[in-house]
Amino acid sequence: MRRNLLVLIIGLLLGAVGTFYFLGAWRSRTLPGVPLRPPDQSNDASSTVAVTIEEKFFDSLLGTIFQQLGPPQLKLSQNFGQRPMQPIAFQNSCNSVLALNPEGNNVKTGVRFTGGKITAPLAFTGSYSILTSCIQFKGTARATVDLSFDQEKQTVFGRLNIDELVLDNVPALLSSLITAFVRKTIDERLNPFAVLRVSQLALSLPIQASGGSLKARVKDVRAEVQEGSLKLYLTYDFTAERENPG
């Protein structure tokens, strides 16, 4: 009992020290623009349109990716801490890749809209070179997604936040270190990501009878998470321009 407790304490200490040494000070990337808020029921909705995205859409999208393109892969960076020198254990031939899998350990990778939140269960496998050995690992994660709207870029962005991560078949002494590498890889390689480019939904309509054109540009985006679907409310700013007589 005492020996097991000692091994656990040593593992936690090594994980904490190793995480700081190899990763340095790490801060999660921020979202551009402003966070999406719930729809404002008090405002005039005459210039607002709603776009609904269902879970089935993401099931079909991810299924096509896994079947036709293969599992998405993220390279585990060799210089997370941006240090001028790296230990030789991190310079061998281990491929150091994190691969997203369709499912694993009764967890199916996907996107879920429930309880007023956007959640993303993930299943993955990977490898990393550490202490002259190539550590093969697999695991699952539970993540939530935050959304924002950048009006200048006319884009809705998302950020994946890992709330829980569980590794299988990883020695206790290395578990916390590899967990930190996986978390940081997902944050640096994926965040932030474009969810919807609303610039593609802008309008420019010639009004010949009035001798001009009507333009509409998205000025605000709100979000409402319903059970099984996400509803985005796009509010437009309308402008009109008269054509110069030729």
Side-chain angles (χ1 to χ4, degrees), residues 31 36 58 110-113 116-122 142-148 156-163 190-195 223 225 230:
L31 278 169
L36 294 196
F58 288 99
V111 177
R112 297 290 175 259
F113 305 116
K117 295 182 178 181
I118 307 174
T119 62
L122 306 171
R142 179 174 55 84
T144 54
V145 179
D146 294 331
L147 299 177
S148 70
V156 176
F157 287 98
R159 181 182 64 199
L160 197 67
N161 306 301
I162 302 298
D163 297 327
L190 293 182
N191 293 329
F193 55 91
V195 175
V225 179
L230 170 68

Side-chain angles (χ1 to χ4, degrees), residues 37-46 48 50 220 222-226 231-233 235:
R37 295 169 292 173
D40 189 352
Q41 304 296 339
S42 62
N43 284 348
D44 180 15
S46 59
T48 300
D220 185 37
R222 303 292 178 102
E224 181 182 12
V225 179
Q226 302 174 339
K231 182 171 286 188
L232 297 177
Y233 297 86
T235 301

Side-chain angles (χ1 to χ4, degrees), residues 82-241:
Q82 296 183 349
R83 301 182 183 276
M85 297 182 62
Q86 293 292 326
I88 192 170
F90 284 83
Q91 300 175 9
N92 62 24
S93 59
C94 199
N95 60 6
S96 298
V97 166
L98 178 71
L100 192 65
N101 296 329
E103 58 183 324
N105 290 347
N106 297 320
V107 172
K108 183 177 180 181
T109 297
V111 177
R112 297 290 175 259
F113 305 116
T114 183
K117 295 182 178 181
I118 307 174
T119 62
L122 306 171
F124 58 86
T125 55
S127 63
Y128 203 84
S129 174
I130 187 169
L131 300 179
T132 70
S133 299
C134 187
I135 304 298
Q136 304 288 335
F137 60 86
K138 63 179 180 178
T140 59
R142 179 174 55 84
T144 54
V145 179
D146 294 331
L147 299 177
S148 70
F149 175 57
D150 190 318
Q151 185 176 2
E152 181 179 353
K153 296 180 179 179
Q154 288 285 281
T155 301
V156 176
F157 287 98
R159 181 182 64 199
L160 197 67
N161 306 301
I162 302 298
D163 297 327
E164 181 181 1
L165 193 148
V166 179
L167 295 177
D168 295 332
N169 301 326
V170 176
L173 294 177
L174 304 176
S175 180
S176 59
L177 179 59
I178 294 179
T179 296
F181 271 115
V182 172
R183 285 178 176 271
K184 188 171 177 65
T185 294
I186 292 175
D187 185 59
E188 288 196 340
R189 302 303 192 201
L190 293 182
N191 293 329
F193 55 91
V195 175
L196 177 65
R197 301 189 186 279
V198 298
S199 56
Q200 299 174 348
L201 303 177
L203 303 176
S204 181
L205 304 174
I207 311 297
Q208 296 181 355
S210 299
S213 61
L214 176 68
K215 296 183 178 181
R217 188 172 185 265
V218 177
K219 66 177 181 179
D220 185 37
V221 179
R222 303 292 178 102
E224 181 182 12
V225 179
Q226 302 174 339
E227 288 301 314
S229 65
L230 170 68
K231 182 171 286 188
L232 297 177
Y233 297 86
L234 282 60
T235 301
Y236 282 85
D237 182 25
F238 292 96
T239 59
E241 296 180 358

